[in-house]
Amino acid sequence: MPLDADRFEAEATALREALLDAQFDLADRSSRAVLILLNGADGAGKGQVLNRLHEWLDPRTIATLAYDINDRCDLRRPPAWRFWCDLPERGRIGIMIGSWYHTMLLHRATGRADEETFHARIAETNRIEDMLVAERVTLLKLWLMLGDNETGGSAINTEAPPGSRNNPLVREWAEIDTKKERNRLVRAARELIQKTADCRTPWHTVRADDPLGRDLAVGRHLLDTLQAAVRWQPPRPGVLPFKPHRVSSTKPVLPTLDLTQTLEKDRYEIELADAQARIFAATQSAAFRNRALIVAFEGNDAAGKGGAIRRLRSALNPVHMRVYPVGAPTDEERARPFLWRFWRHVPLRGHTAIYDRSWYGRVLVERVEGFAAPAVWQRAYGEINDFEAQLTRAGYVLHKFWLAIDQDEQLRRFEARKATPHKRFKITEEDWRNRENWELYAAAVEDMIALTSTEAGPWTLVESNSKRFSRVKILRTLADRLEAEL
């Protein structure tokens, strides 16, 4: 029996007060973010539920995150970019309509994704949601149901009142226009809900036939979620390692590098100019307009990353290129999952992003210096591989360089920087202290290479005792890679 208005008003008043208390507690503690994924049939009342939550909650710490799958601006970056950029910071609430689930289901229903691809995306989604939960994002996944066989909604009647079942405010399934596609969508939705629900990210299905009862049910689920987020306590950090150790079992590769390789100056200038010309031609070609280039530079301190980046940027159109020097995260960045600050700088198609240091700080400096607990940096390898797979699946060319020098060469460069007035900014007390952890960093680098070098995102190890040899190898490698990809 539908809920009558008087009973709804009485229950809603108490619920609203409790929701506000929980919302204020969440903002005060700022230990977790809450992300509501609002899904369901067209006509099930997603727009009405959204408006009801904005009516009940304080608007200062809640935001609507709604997406048009066909937005041409968003299509210029990988599909996940829009979701990552909008992740709420800790202490805030986001309501997402048109989430990653919508795209998965639409592609499955319309035949753009076969069963194998659909299952692969489900597995990837489970890993990403596990990462979000571990990175202090609490997910509330809601599915509004009109009936057992009504996932895509009913025929639209624009003469009906806005927000009614036949004239919904939110229309996500307009492309589902055949009975075959509708049936496929129903089956896919049931399978998706079953395979993407676990104890940390369960689905909550809400009957939408009774609008008032639906709104109360959603409000109660949100109250439970907010209160759980407020009660959450960070785990106690584990014991950090005090000696070099590895988590992978592959044979070390750094000792195999021949750091004595050099290049004569006249040959260097010829080969450098040739590689720069090839890179410029590739990135200005018509084939590159729907692609993008991301280059990540990591390496020992004073290994020559800055010099290599300057030679690379000289080969690129500055209008379509940007260099991102990566340092310690800001307060804004610390309030979100660690990959957020890198996702928001993913370049447009046709553009290039160069990272001077990168997301690998999680498994390098954060691991060695104890800024991340072992459980955190150990799960980061898989999170990084998923991140890079999403980039390359969207057509991005990703290449990663590790610049290696030996300890004697590093000391020589440190002393030179210290003695050169205009290079003093390049040497810090932290650089000197890092030399004491050389073996710890070497172990971390070996694990990084073993666990994150993939066909889509390969590592190139660069012998960098000779700056000329290093720069030519880097640019020639990139030129070869671009020509092969394009």
Side-chain angles (χ1 to χ4, degrees):
M1 178 181 296
L3 193 68
D4 65 74
D6 290 339
R7 181 182 170 191
F8 170 79
E9 194 63 37
E11 295 190 25
T13 298
L15 177 60
R16 182 173 182 176
E17 182 178 358
L19 282 169
L20 284 170
D21 287 341
Q23 183 186 12
F24 296 151
D25 289 342
L26 181 77
D28 288 342
R29 290 201 59 191
S30 294
S31 58
R32 295 191 73 88
V34 170
L35 183 61
I36 305 167
L37 306 184
L38 188 55
N39 305 272
D42 289 349
K46 287 171 289 196
Q48 291 172 309
V49 168
L50 174 69
N51 290 333
R52 182 75 75 183
L53 293 179
H54 276 280
E55 173 191 344
W56 284 350
L57 295 168
D58 184 340
R60 291 173 294 181
T61 61
I62 187 170
T64 296
L65 316 171
Y67 308 97
D68 178 357
I69 193 173
N70 296 312
D71 189 312
R72 293 181 63 86
C73 293
D74 284 354
L75 292 175
R76 297 190 65 192
R77 288 187 173 91
W81 172 81
R82 64 183 84 180
F83 308 128
W84 272 95
C85 286
D86 284 345
L87 283 179
E89 65 182 279
R90 292 168 192 163
R92 299 183 65 88
I93 303 168
I95 307 175
M96 189 172 285
I97 294 180
S99 70
W100 46 87
Y101 286 113
H102 173 66
T103 306
M104 292 165 60
L105 288 172
L106 184 63
H107 286 181
R108 181 64 181 131
T110 56
R112 280 178 274 180
D114 60 20
E115 185 176 9
E116 181 181 358
T117 301
F118 183 58
H119 289 164
R121 296 292 81 78
I122 286 176
E124 182 181 70
T125 296
N126 283 332
R127 294 193 301 271
I128 291 171
E129 290 185 355
D130 284 344
M131 179 270 297
L132 290 175
V133 172
E135 291 282 311
R136 303 191 184 187
V137 178
T138 297
L139 296 176
L140 172 58
K141 301 192 296 191
L142 297 168
W143 191 278
L144 308 185
M145 295 187 63
L146 283 171
D148 291 340
N149 294 308
E150 292 189 68
T151 303
S154 306
I156 300 300
N157 177 9
T158 56
E159 300 299 321
S164 64
R165 176 169 175 172
N166 291 326
N167 191 14
L169 296 174
V170 178
R171 302 174 187 172
E172 296 183 287
W173 308 110
E175 295 182 49
I176 309 298
D177 55 7
T178 69
K179 183 177 180 180
K180 180 180 179 180
E181 290 178 339
R182 196 177 304 277
N183 290 337
R184 188 186 293 155
L185 178 60
V186 170
R187 292 193 300 271
R190 288 174 177 167
E191 181 179 11
L192 181 143
I193 289 173
Q194 179 185 8
K195 292 185 175 180
T196 59
D198 63 24
C199 61
R200 297 203 299 174
T201 59
W203 278 97
H204 301 280
T205 57
V206 178
R207 299 291 302 192
D209 307 273
D210 173 15
L212 297 181
R214 173 203 61 204
D215 292 358
L216 280 179
V218 169
R220 290 176 183 132
H221 285 309
L222 177 56
L223 178 60
D224 291 342
T225 301
L226 290 173
Q227 290 175 338
V230 170
R231 290 193 302 268
W232 178 84
Q233 295 290 334
R236 297 181 64 181
V239 178
L240 299 178
F242 291 96
K243 62 180 181 179
H245 78 294
R246 292 186 58 194
V247 295
S248 63
S249 58
T250 56
K251 185 178 180 180
V253 294
L254 294 179
T256 68
L257 298 178
D258 180 5
L259 299 180
T260 65
Q261 297 180 84
T262 60
L263 192 63
E264 296 299 325
K265 184 176 181 180
D266 55 348
R267 191 65 192 165
Y268 161 74
E269 292 175 349
I270 294 171
E271 294 193 20
L272 182 70
D274 175 70
Q276 288 174 324
R278 292 168 60 200
I279 292 171
F280 180 77
T283 55
Q284 293 298 112
S285 67
F288 189 70
R289 292 174 189 168
N290 200 40
R291 309 292 295 274
L293 174 63
I294 296 178
V295 187
F297 284 89
E298 296 284 355
N300 300 118
D301 292 332
K305 293 181 292 296
I309 289 171
R310 287 195 296 275
R311 273 70 182 181
L312 174 57
R313 71 182 298 163
S314 297
L316 298 166
N317 182 343
V319 176
H320 299 148
M321 176 274 303
R322 187 164 179 180
V323 177
Y324 295 99
V326 176
T330 64
D331 290 341
E332 179 186 27
E333 292 165 345
R334 275 192 289 266
R336 292 176 173 87
F338 92 98
L339 285 172
W340 176 80
R341 64 172 172 156
F342 303 107
W343 263 111
R344 65 177 181 155
H345 292 317
V346 167
L348 292 164
R349 299 185 190 279
H351 290 232
T352 297
I354 302 170
Y355 288 90
D356 184 355
R357 303 290 189 185
S358 69
W359 42 96
Y360 284 97
R362 174 60 53 104
V363 297
L364 293 173
V365 64
E366 291 188 38
R367 164 183 170 168
V368 173
E369 302 298 333
F371 300 145
V376 173
W377 60 257
Q378 286 175 16
R379 64 175 165 80
Y381 299 110
E383 295 166 359
I384 287 169
N385 286 338
D386 281 333
F387 166 53
E388 294 178 353
Q390 289 177 298
L391 296 176
T392 55
R393 193 165 62 240
Y396 282 54
V397 180
L398 169 68
H399 210 95
K400 305 171 300 195
F401 293 97
W402 176 264
L403 280 63
I405 57 176
D406 61 36
Q407 288 180 282
D408 292 339
E409 177 64 18
Q410 184 186 66
L411 180 59
R412 188 190 68 77
R413 294 183 186 183
F414 276 13
E415 296 290 358
R417 289 178 174 185
K418 185 178 178 181
T420 306
H422 65 270
K423 291 186 177 181
R424 285 178 298 172
F425 74 95
K426 292 186 174 184
I427 187 73
T428 66
E429 290 300 322
E430 182 179 347
D431 295 325
W432 289 103
R433 183 169 53 82
N434 286 345
R435 281 179 57 82
E436 300 173 5
N437 292 325
W438 185 275
E439 291 186 7
L440 285 169
Y441 274 103
V445 172
E446 294 285 2
D447 285 336
M448 176 188 73
I449 294 167
L451 299 174
T452 64
S453 191
T454 62
E455 183 178 354
W459 278 102
T460 294
L461 308 184
V462 185
E463 302 86 344
S464 299
N465 270 18
S466 165
K467 292 182 179 180
R468 290 197 290 262
F469 178 88
S470 173
R471 293 165 185 168
V472 167
K473 179 173 180 176
I474 289 168
L475 268 67
R476 190 192 301 135
T477 300
L478 271 180
D480 290 345
R481 177 80 190 281
L482 283 168
E483 290 168 356
E485 290 278 353
L486 301 179

